[in-house]
Structures are given as C-alpha cells and as structure tokens.
Amino acid sequence: MTRADAIVLALAAALLGGLYAHYWRAGPPARIAEIRRGGELVQRVSLDHEARIRVAGPRGTSVLETRAGAIRFLSSPCPQQFCVHSGWLHRGGEATACLPNHLSVQVLGGGQAFDAMVF
Amino acid sequence: MPFRLPRLALPLVLGALLSACDQAPQARTEQMLAFGTLVDITLVGVSDKVADEAFADARRDLEFMHEAWHPWKPGPMGRTNQLLQTGGWFSANPSVMPLIAPARRLERTSRGLFNPTLGKLEALWGFHTDERPEDRPPPAPEAIAALVKQAPSMEDIQVKGIRMRGTNPAVQLDVGGFAKGIAIDRVIARFRELGIENAIVNAGGDLRAIGRHGERPWRIGIRNPRGEGVIAAVEVSGDESVFTSGDYERYFIYKGKRYHHILDPRTGYPARGAVSVTVIHPDATTADAAATALFVAGPDQWESIARSMGVKDVMLVDESGKVYMTPSMARRVELLEDPKPPVVISGGGGGT
Amino acid sequence: MELQLQTTRDDHRVAWLAALAVAIHALESALPSPLPGVKPGLANVVTVAVLVLYGWRAAVWVSLLRVFAASLLLGTFLSPTFMMSLGGAAAALAALGLGSLLPGRGLSALGYSVLAAIAHMAGQFLLAWGLFVRHDALFVLLPVLMTAAVLTGIVNGIIAAAMLRRLRP
C-alpha cells in the first residue's frame, strides 16, 4: 500500500461518512408502506422493487406505484388529485391520502421522520 | 495483552450499548372513516383495553358530531337553519347550542374574516353538495353582491337562555370553518377523561397532539400545498393543534380558473392571495378558525388578524411560493424544501 | 495467401483478461440491486490489472470491449442496463486516467481499485437519477450503494494485487 493509496482510502472513508450523515439524517431508507381503505389495512408493500398496485375504493380504482424505496399515487378517480400531487413518499412516517376514495398510504420503517402529516 | 478482559465483558458492553438505543414506546394507531374524512388516532403508553375504548368512543362521537353539524344534510343544524329563517324565537338544539358562543367570539376576534353564517353563499357557489358538476358556472355577480350586502353574521343570532332567534334572513349556519376543530377538542377531552395523556388525533390532515411520543416530542410533517413532498417539519408537545387551510381542499375549475371553497365574507368570492395557511395553537377550535380567517386575510392582513386572535405561530404560503412566518413559528419550524423558498418573518403577537 | 497474425504473449494475456472481465460482468448482472442496473463493479479488477500492466489506453480498450461484448452476450445491447454499464465504465476510466497522472510512486492496485469503484458508482448513480428515476428520494440509497462500491473496490484491489504478483514475477 502506497501513501497515495492511504490517502484514497481516507478520502473514501470521509466520503462514506459524509453520505450517511447527509442523506440518512431522517433515518435509513424506508422498507414498507401500508395502504388502507376506510382505515382498514388493504395491503403492505415492500418498497425495494418496482410495482404497480391497483386499489379499489368507493369512487373507483386508484393506482399506486413503488420504486427505489418510495411509493406514490400514480392515478386516482378524485376531482382534486391531491393524492397524486403529493408525489413520492419515502421517509418513514410520511403519508398521503385520497380522501374522496377513502384510501391512505403511509411509509413505515426508515427512522420514523414523522408521527403525523398535516395538509 | 497487559490484562485479559473477562469473556462476559463483550456481550455485557454490547448489551448496554444496545439498550441505550431509542426504545420506541408502545404506540397504538388506528385509522377510521369518520367525520367525513380519514381520522388517524395515535395513543402512546396506554393499555389495549383503554385504547380500544378510546377508539370506539372517538368513532362514535365523531360520527354523532358530523351528523349533528352537517351544513346541508338533514339534521340538527339543518333544522336550526330553517328556524333561523323564520325570525321567531325557538328552542335551541342541544347539539348546536355549544357552537354559538365560540363562533361569536371567533368572529369577533377575527374581525369578521371567520364567519360561520355564510351557508347561503356557500350553497350559491355550489359547495353544499357532495359532487359539484364540472360544467356548472360560478354564480352571477349580482347574486353574490346581493348576499354580501345583506351581511350575515353571528350578531344576527340572538340567544336568551335556551331560546334562539335569527334577525337576518341571509343567515345560515355553516360551521365548516371550525367544526373539525371543535370535534377534535371533544375527542381529546374524552381521552383525558379516560386518563390518556399522550395522543394525536388527526382528522384528514388537521390535528391536535397532547403529551409526547415517549421520550421525544411529536414530529409533524406539513405537506407542500402546490408541488410534491413535505414543505416543513415541526415538533409539538404538551398541548398543541396544527391546522392548515388551503385552496386545494375543495375547489372546482371553470374555464381554466380555480374557485375554492374558502369565501371572503367581504367580497363573497374565494379569498385570493394565500395558497395555504398553517396555524399552531393549543386548542383546535381556535386553530381551525384562525387557519380559515388568516387564509381570508391573505399576505397583506394576516399579521394583524393573528394578533387580534391571539395566535402566535403562523405560516402562510402565497401564490408565488413565498413563505410568511411569525418569529415564533420561524424558530420552531424546519423548512425542508430544496431550494429554500423566499421567507418573510414578521408579525407575531407578543414575545421575542 | 495465408495470413498469419503474429500474436505476442501479451496479446494472449490481454485477451484472456478481457474474457475474464466479460465473465465477471455477466455474473455480476445476476446479482440483485435496489436500483436496477447499478452494480458495485466487480469486473474492474481486470480494468485495474490491465491498467497497471499495460497502461491506461489498454485499460480503456479492455473495458469498452467488456461492456459491448457482455451486453451482446446478455442481450442487453443498447438497453438502459447497457447505458449504465457504459456510464460506470467511462467514469471509472476517467478517474483511473487522472489517478495514473499522480507523481512519485502514485497509486497501487488497491488505490486504483477504490478510486475506480467510487467513480463507477457515482457515474451509474447519477445516470440512474438523471435518466430514469429523477426523484430526490433516490439519494437515500446512495450511502449503502457507495459502501458496497468501496468494499468491492478494496476486495478488487487485493485480488488485483495478488493477480499482478503472479502475472509479473
């Protein structure tokens, strides 16, 4: 191992430390999300692979999408589309809902950044 | 090695270190369909028996209040509104009576910007239906002006003992601007009766939190009114309500223009200027009414109305994305948007 | 007239190393990853060995050969996976090129490997973010991915050093 090697290793360690400190401030990435209808648990989904989930509610079918540790409403049969506009949920505790369709999504694990969402 | 550690030392040290990790307290959360929305209730440090009773009571009480105070579906509020039209004295409905005093007080302290007597105006705009047809245009300016001229207000409701009468035919109670707040206050009061000291009641994105989450305060995320993601995070503890009023909650779009349901009593039209207002205040009733009133007040007037209502923590987002905050709110809120939006810190009633 | 190509021992060796790289690349593609297409870069053990033995240009050739040949072999030619492989290889080669310019004793196989691994992961991650996923939530995965890359870089470095010791007595 040369001196230059040692410097590279030291820089690598510093880089890793910095990355964890910066991007894991709110905890490690979330693992699963819970989808509920009218308060009842409909499905638990793992967030570490790509998937499309169709959930039926009183107003029709909402479609959710998971990818790379996050989940979002892709489409929903509601007039205001607040759920879709919420975008990707990835922090532990982050949640959104399609109130007209009685559906809610919440991300679990990953350090519980939030106990509740206000909107 | 100068000395040998006993073999037990390593597991003991590891055990000690692990026990220092954040031990999450026992939390029970339930989500229910109530009060016309999804209600999330979290209880901490409570036995299963008490938690089950609390959830059941909350569900029942919320449903009762929702039906009793519904602005247009048949029920106690509907009957009260009919009797108010007659101009004569009538026996006040026991479900509606408790709303009158707080409504009057809040209308006064908000200088009329919170006005729970605009039922006729809301109906005129079509917000008194579950489903407003897409192609229904906004009401004619003359109709709006006529109602605004009649100036309905809580002053037009007289109360004597248990009897009530209305002195202005334009008055129709619509307590949507603070009903959720009162309902949440009732639920929290019931929880306190049951001996529960740490809880959050979150009704469709507006909440009141008491106590803490075990060793740490409750962590609340505030959604971005326009785009995706979370705009801010705040910690609450003790006894605090966090309410948001926004132009995205109930609206319709006609010919490309958006008309939302928070009407300005002075003009009869949807209030302009603000996109969302978040208020933190101990009781939910005031927080709810203040969020509504300050939304109507907009970026120009919110400071003085916040002062007159005695509300210290306010965050207002205007149409350009600029964020206005009181100094007290700025101290406790963490803005999460990247890049940071422009922030104006001003107002704030009392305290440094 | 019969054409006979004169191949040297070095040519044989480079060809053998390139084939090894393709094999490693193919095997690595079977590994699961939280972010599709993003891999720690096991094949860079060959890139570094070729760099030390035959210089940067040779390393570039072998790397590009590896990426193209492996993608044809796996049927991913011109697919997003191919883009990611190419991006990672390009970033690693750029870093190695800069690293080889260091004065004095410079870097050994270990230092080169770690450097290449970090650049490889950074390149692939940014490509994944820019081209495919584009939401900031993705960055939560970066610390873990980069850790895997650095560890792979260290292991690769040790293996490459061992290989080099045998290949040039």
Side-chain angles (χ1 to χ4, degrees):
Chain A
M1 175 143 89
T2 71
R3 209 179 71 154
D5 286 345
I7 295 174
V8 165
L9 282 174
L11 287 176
L15 172 69
L16 286 181
L19 287 177
Y20 280 103
H22 186 78
Y23 292 115
W24 278 29
R25 242 172 353 116
R31 293 273 89 113
I32 55 170
E34 280 189 350
I35 305 172
R36 291 174 180 273
R37 174 179 46 230
E40 302 292 321
L41 180 64
V42 166
Q43 201 175 344
R44 224 175 235 133
V45 274
S46 162
L47 296 180
D48 55 19
H49 59 267
E50 294 185 43
R52 290 250 171 116
I53 305 132
R54 307 174 68 84
V55 190
R59 268 179 161 260
T61 305
S62 301
V63 182
L64 293 111
E65 187 184 15
T66 63
R67 201 208 296 220
I71 185 169
R72 70 165 173 175
F73 272 93
L74 188 59
S75 70
S76 201
C78 51
Q80 336 285 32
Q81 298 281 292
F82 176 79
C83 48
V84 176
H85 292 326
S86 296
W88 291 100
L89 313 174
H90 58 278
R91 280 177 268 229
E94 220 181 318
T96 191
C98 180
L99 295 176
N101 214 17
H102 295 174
L103 298 177
S104 78
V105 183
Q106 187 179 40
V107 170
L108 298 183
Q112 191 152 25
F114 304 116
D115 295 310
M117 302 288 314
V118 163
F119 49 87
Chain B
M1 270 224 266
F3 61 96
R4 307 208 66 167
L5 286 171
R7 302 193 87 184
L8 214 42
L10 187 59
L12 278 178
V13 167
L14 282 177
L17 285 173
L18 285 171
S19 69
C21 282
D22 189 27
Q23 290 282 340
Q26 193 231 1
R28 282 266 325 253
T29 303
E30 198 158 297
Q31 188 182 79
M32 57 187 76
L33 204 53
F35 211 81
T37 186
L38 289 172
V39 180
D40 287 272
I41 300 178
T42 304
L43 305 172
V44 163
V46 157
S47 71
D48 279 339
K49 184 159 159 288
V50 172
D52 289 336
E53 192 180 346
F55 291 137
D57 285 354
R59 193 190 294 264
R60 202 178 36 237
D61 291 348
L62 287 169
E63 269 315 295
F64 179 84
M65 290 185 275
H66 184 55
E67 289 201 25
W69 300 336
H70 207 287
W72 75 84
K73 292 204 174 113
M77 186 61 77
R79 283 195 291 277
T80 304
N81 276 330
Q82 279 174 331
L83 291 163
L84 283 170
Q85 293 276 279
T86 66
W89 288 98
F90 59 93
S91 281
N93 189 297
S95 301
V96 174
M97 196 56 191
L99 300 176
I100 302 299
R104 220 200 284 282
R105 169 176 58 89
L106 290 163
E107 191 190 72
R108 207 176 351 102
T109 58
S110 70
R111 306 215 200 111
L113 296 189
F114 169 75
N115 186 330
T117 62
L118 301 177
K120 276 203 167 167
L121 202 52
E122 294 278 351
L124 185 64
W125 277 92
F127 289 123
H128 272 193
T129 55
D130 280 327
E131 202 56 61
R132 192 188 188 285
E134 279 293 306
D135 49 2
R136 177 175 161 180
E142 305 83 48
I144 299 173
L147 273 177
V148 171
K149 195 147 170 269
Q150 290 183 285
S153 105
M154 288 301 296
E155 313 276 309
D156 302 322
I157 298 180
Q158 291 177 351
V159 173
K160 219 187 275 186
I162 58 161
R163 296 174 73 74
M164 201 193 254
R165 83 165 164 171
T167 58
N168 183 339
V171 165
Q172 288 280 271
L173 282 168
D174 181 333
V175 292
F178 79 151
K180 226 201 271 187
I182 306 185
I184 290 177
D185 280 340
R186 286 288 169 80
V187 171
I188 292 286
R190 176 69 189 137
F191 284 179
R192 285 217 160 103
E193 278 172 21
L194 290 171
I196 299 172
E197 280 165 16
N198 304 283
I200 297 186
V201 177
N202 185 348
D206 293 313
L207 61 91
R208 181 168 167 188
I210 56 173
R212 305 160 74 79
H213 185 109
E215 289 300 306
R216 60 162 177 82
W218 299 104
R219 293 187 206 134
I220 311 293
I222 300 171
R223 282 230 153 269
N224 190 328
R226 276 286 180 267
E228 15 177 296
V230 182
I231 190 178
V234 71
E235 287 187 342
V236 300
S237 60
D239 191 351
E240 307 200 87
S241 303
V242 188
F243 273 71
T244 300
S245 270
D247 70 349
Y248 46 86
E249 289 163 354
R250 264 208 101 188
Y251 64 86
F252 66 92
I253 297 180
Y254 186 77
K255 295 217 163 105
K257 209 161 172 240
R258 186 204 284 228
Y259 301 91
H260 63 81
H261 76 301
I262 305 174
L263 304 175
D264 187 333
R266 303 166 293 187
T267 65
Y269 282 82
R272 295 246 173 262
V275 151
S276 84
V277 171
T278 302
V279 166
I280 304 180
H281 191 82
D283 75 280
T285 306
T286 306
D288 201 355
T292 308
L294 293 174
F295 186 95
V296 174
D300 299 324
Q301 269 189 294
W302 70 271
E303 293 172 56
S304 62
I305 303 295
R307 253 194 300 274
S308 62
M309 292 187 84
V311 169
K312 295 201 173 58
D313 292 332
V314 182
M315 181 172 84
L316 181 149
V317 182
D318 75 5
E319 276 157 5
S320 72
K322 192 155 35 170
V323 175
Y324 300 75
M325 290 197 271
T326 58
S328 170
M329 186 66 142
R331 267 194 299 275
R332 66 184 307 185
V333 123
E334 186 193 347
L335 288 176
L336 295 175
E337 263 190 303
D338 204 8
K340 294 259 185 295
V343 176
V344 176
I345 299 175
S346 58
T352 41
Chain C
M1 186 177 86
E2 230 182 58
L3 190 65
Q4 254 205 324
L5 289 171
Q6 287 277 58
T7 54
T8 66
R9 201 166 134 253
D10 281 346
D11 291 331
H12 284 213
R13 189 172 283 164
V14 170
W16 177 82
L17 285 169
L20 179 64
V22 171
I24 297 175
H25 183 118
L27 283 173
E28 192 186 44
S29 71
L31 290 176
S33 167
L35 197 51
V38 172
K39 303 283 184 229
L42 292 168
N44 278 327
V45 66
V46 168
T47 314
V48 167
V50 171
L51 171 76
V52 172
L53 283 175
Y54 301 116
W56 186 73
R57 285 227 169 146
V60 171
W61 274 115
V62 170
S63 284
L64 291 180
L65 189 67
R66 164 184 50 103
V67 170
F68 278 83
S71 75
L72 287 168
L73 189 70
L74 295 169
T76 59
F77 188 55
L78 294 182
S79 74
T81 316
F82 170 76
M83 309 287 187
M84 308 281 267
S85 299
L86 194 57
L93 287 167
L96 287 173
L98 289 173
S100 64
L101 295 173
L102 284 177
R105 269 194 71 197
L107 295 162
S108 75
L110 181 63
Y112 279 130
S113 279
V114 172
L115 195 60
I118 293 175
H120 169 97
M121 179 54 75
Q124 287 200 324
F125 187 85
L126 286 174
L127 261 183
W129 180 75
L131 291 181
F132 307 124
V133 187
R134 236 184 198 278
H135 66 95
D136 290 343
L138 202 60
F139 281 86
V140 195
L141 297 174
L142 187 55
V144 177
L145 290 171
M146 194 54 86
T147 305
V150 168
L151 290 174
T152 305
I154 293 173
V155 168
N156 275 356
I158 295 170
I159 296 176
M163 272 175 67
L164 288 167
R165 270 196 295 278
R166 283 162 139 250
L167 288 175
R168 46 166 191 186

